[in-house]
Amino acid sequence: MKRSALVTALAALAALAPALLGGGLVSAAPRTSAAAACTAADQEVYTLPATVPATPGTVLACRSVALSQVPGNIAMAAWKVLYSSTDNQGRPVAVSGTLAVPAAPWTGTGPRPVVAFHPGTLGLGPQCAFSKQLAGAFQDEYEGDNIAALLKAGYAVAATDGPGYLDGQTHRYVAGTDSGHALLDIARAAPAVPGSGLSRQARVGLWGYSEGGAASLWAAQLAAAYAPELDVVGDASGGVPGDLKQVAAALDGSAFSGFLADAALGIQAAYPTLPFDSLLNDQGKQAVKTARSVCLVGTVTGLAGRSIKDFTTAGLTLDQLYQQRGSDGRTWGQVLDAQKLGVNLAAHRIGFPVLQYRGALDEVIPTATEDAVRAAYCAAGVRTGWKIYPGDHLLTDNRAVGDVVSWLGDRFAGRAARSDC
């Protein structure tokens, strides 16, 4: 589906209501390419290896690919990649993604920069993985223009699918630590892809919108401690679901309640000790089946207007669900609070500028939580740019592309960033 058709479909849905995340065994392998050449079969990129190296950023498999859904006929080399990362418990996991490098020589100073990109919500079905969609195997994505703009500017793009798109897994949707690690680790993996020509000394930018905006801000918060060797010079994050409880309250029973179902599944996949299956009634089991099989449009259309209480045997409200305790003693509410952005920024130190943005008419993510994240960053002394666009949630993603690419270009060029605090 092309962007125009997707926008039309979601715009029609928005009129319905005032509205709109596996691991393996440890191996002590160094971070060097696990493939002498990128000749893996396509299926290998989405198959969990028998062992996953303990060193994040190890390339486990790669395959040359044409990105048919990146517009503009841009000359490039591109690969699907499978690489190692780390989950929220410190365990090694494998994650899939895409690396694209422009064919035109880099003419700027220093090595060619790398932008680590996390896509916005695509749905939980295995066919929804961004790497599959960019290559044209399925089409429900809406950010091919974002990738094209970066490539046209001369930057390499390392786009993670996010954790949990391998066969038999559930995407760890909106799980902060897992997503942030996956984004940083594809930047680590990029120079190890044979033929990429990228340098480990390259400047790195982070970018994401909506689900991707939360992931990129988590990557920004984790970078200093988790990936100190990366030269991260800036992060751009838009449409950020900063407080999942606040977002859930807005989504529950709305035209976009399918995203709440995705969040429940994604968080439980990342924190499997939380109670889940035992709470579901027959409607809930069917909703889970639907959410796990469809992509963006199917998530919205198939689960619109549904409430969490309709899916549980006890008719639990969100507040009652938050009190349900897992086998490790943590409640749903405590786990969701741990995903909140802008908390404990003294420990999650950010040593580079951040650009945050949102739509004035965001009907998916409550603007209050987006504004609160910006305020928390400003209060912590993070140099924070800020912009509000005259559009809704989906349209703002596209409208911001030129500004974000320009802002990242200034960071790669070493120019000082303006703070709008």
Side-chain angles (χ1 to χ4, degrees), residues 284-310:
K285 292 174 184 176
Q286 183 58 48
V288 166
K289 184 178 179 180
T290 298
R292 283 184 168 147
S293 64
V294 297
C295 296
L296 175 60
V297 172
T299 299
V300 176
T301 60
L303 295 167
R306 307 301 297 274
S307 174
I308 285 291
K309 68 179 181 346
D310 298 331

Side-chain angles (χ1 to χ4, degrees), residues 31-32 55-59 79 81-86 95-101 111-118 155-162 178-194 196-207 215-216 219-220 222-223 226-235 352 412:
R31 193 192 306 129
T32 56
T55 303
T58 304
V59 176
W79 303 263
V81 294
L82 180 68
Y83 63 97
S84 61
S85 188
T86 311
V95 180
S96 54
T98 303
L99 174 64
V101 181
R112 186 191 299 272
V114 176
V115 177
F117 183 87
H118 194 299
Y155 312 138
V157 182
T160 183
D161 290 340
D178 301 75
S179 299
H181 285 170
L183 188 57
L184 293 167
D185 288 330
I186 197 167
R188 284 168 152 165
V193 173
S196 72
L198 300 175
S199 169
R200 296 195 183 280
Q201 284 69 53
R203 290 185 168 185
V204 174
L206 310 173
W207 186 13
S216 57
L222 296 168
Y226 180 72
E229 82 282 7
L230 289 179
D231 184 13
V232 182
V233 296
D235 165 60
F352 45 80
F412 294 142

Side-chain angles (χ1 to χ4, degrees), residues 122-222:
L122 294 174
L124 302 186
Q127 74 277 20
C128 312
F130 196 46
S131 59
K132 293 181 180 179
Q133 297 207 46
L134 288 178
F138 184 84
Q139 187 50 39
D140 199 10
E141 63 82 25
Y142 46 91
E143 292 180 309
D145 286 347
N146 305 49
I147 306 304
L150 292 169
L151 294 171
K152 287 177 181 177
Y155 312 138
V157 182
T160 183
D161 290 340
Y165 275 114
L166 305 189
D167 291 347
Q169 296 182 338
T170 296
H171 175 46
R172 298 185 171 199
Y173 184 68
V174 297
T177 300
D178 301 75
S179 299
H181 285 170
L183 188 57
L184 293 167
D185 288 330
I186 197 167
R188 284 168 152 165
V193 173
S196 72
L198 300 175
S199 169
R200 296 195 183 280
Q201 284 69 53
R203 290 185 168 185
V204 174
L206 310 173
W207 186 13
Y209 185 80
S210 193
E211 176 194 358
S216 57
L217 277 186
W218 267 106
Q221 293 185 171
L222 296 168

